Amino acid sequence: MSKKKSSGGFTASLATKVILRVVTIVLIAAAVFALAAFAFNKFQKVRVQNKRAAVERELAECAELVLYKMRYSDIITLKKRGAIAKAFSIVRYEGVLRAGIENIRDSEVYVSPDGKNVTVKIPPTVLLGNDIQAQEVFDEQQRLFTRIGTQEVFDQIEIAKREAADEILADGLLDDADERAKLVISALLKSLGFTTVTVVIK
């Protein structure tokens, strides 16, 4: 009887040890898995932050993003009549109109949790500049008491170039510039390794 009792106690003790060892292994495995998951999530978060920073650096380097540079020319005629004489001047001028994004740093960047996709919201394009590049007097007739001054010529050119810009904008220049902005920025960000790049106008 005593031998059977001793054998039963040994079996129970062995079973307890096995259970404890299994529980210990399970706990260690769970701890390792949790630690690995935490490390992976932290690594992934850092990776996404680094990718977002890379996108912002690329955009910051663009600063003022010129998407269209359009040259145009026009001829203006100025006439002036005095008491005893009249004067006129015919002037040809050339201008350059620039359209684009004034400050690309105002964009908003969203990188997906897996770091594969990026969405960028960019400001709409605007008229960045409308500058006179050259001017030339074709013909003129000036009289002693009736003259067209240099400032009068400049003022007339300013009016004409504003009218030219209004016509060009009415033809949809900024809409075209918006579409070009999407293409340019998409190409720029795809070179950073993103699978999908989405660019939208704010």
Side-chain angles (χ1 to χ4, degrees), residues 26-41:
V26 170
L27 290 175
I28 291 172
V32 169
F33 177 79
L35 186 62
F38 174 78
F40 176 78
N41 288 336

Side-chain angles (χ1 to χ4, degrees), residues 177-197:
D178 283 343
E179 293 305 312
R180 180 171 287 190
K182 293 178 184 179
L183 294 174
V184 169
I185 294 174
S186 292
L188 178 69
L189 299 185
K190 280 181 180 177
S191 67
L192 296 178
F194 289 103
T195 304
T196 305
V197 176

Side-chain angles (χ1 to χ4, degrees), residues 8-186:
F10 175 75
T11 302
S13 175
L14 182 61
T16 302
K17 287 180 180 179
V18 170
I19 292 171
L20 287 174
R21 182 161 293 184
V22 170
V23 170
T24 303
I25 291 172
V26 170
L27 290 175
I28 291 172
V32 169
F33 177 79
L35 186 62
F38 174 78
F40 176 78
N41 288 336
K42 192 168 184 63
F43 170 77
Q44 191 70 7
K45 188 175 180 181
V46 170
R47 183 167 169 264
V48 169
Q49 288 174 344
N50 288 341
K51 282 212 161 190
R52 187 174 187 275
V55 172
E56 290 175 343
R57 278 197 304 272
E58 288 292 328
L59 295 177
E61 287 181 5
C62 296
E64 182 184 271
L65 182 60
V66 178
L67 297 157
Y68 268 103
K69 185 178 281 188
M70 180 177 292
R71 295 184 179 275
Y72 65 93
S73 63
D74 197 5
I75 295 175
I76 60 171
T77 302
L78 294 89
K79 296 179 180 180
K80 195 173 187 179
R81 183 179 295 276
I84 58 174
K86 62 181 180 180
F88 72 87
S89 185
I90 300 175
V91 181
R92 180 181 182 276
Y93 73 92
E94 294 181 0
V96 174
L97 188 146
R98 294 178 295 112
I101 299 175
E102 190 170 18
N103 189 0
I104 196 67
R105 294 185 183 92
D106 290 337
S107 301
E108 298 173 10
V109 180
Y110 303 92
V111 178
S112 62
D114 60 5
K116 293 181 180 180
N117 308 315
V118 62
T119 298
V120 182
K121 292 184 177 180
I122 60 175
T125 54
V126 296
L127 182 64
L128 296 174
N130 184 14
D131 306 312
I132 299 302
Q133 298 293 298
Q135 65 181 55
E136 177 187 1
V137 177
F138 268 121
D139 191 14
E140 67 177 352
Q141 183 179 22
Q142 305 279 10
R143 300 299 184 192
L144 181 61
F145 298 105
T146 308
R147 300 186 64 84
I148 297 173
T150 303
Q151 188 59 50
E152 291 176 286
V153 174
F154 287 158
D155 291 344
Q156 192 61 40
I157 288 176
E158 281 296 317
I159 294 171
K161 79 174 191 178
R162 284 198 296 270
E163 290 175 350
D166 289 343
E167 289 180 11
I168 293 171
L169 293 177
D171 286 339
L173 175 68
L174 296 184
D175 292 335
D176 293 340
D178 283 343
E179 293 305 312
R180 180 171 287 190
K182 293 178 184 179
L183 294 174
V184 169
I185 294 174
S186 292

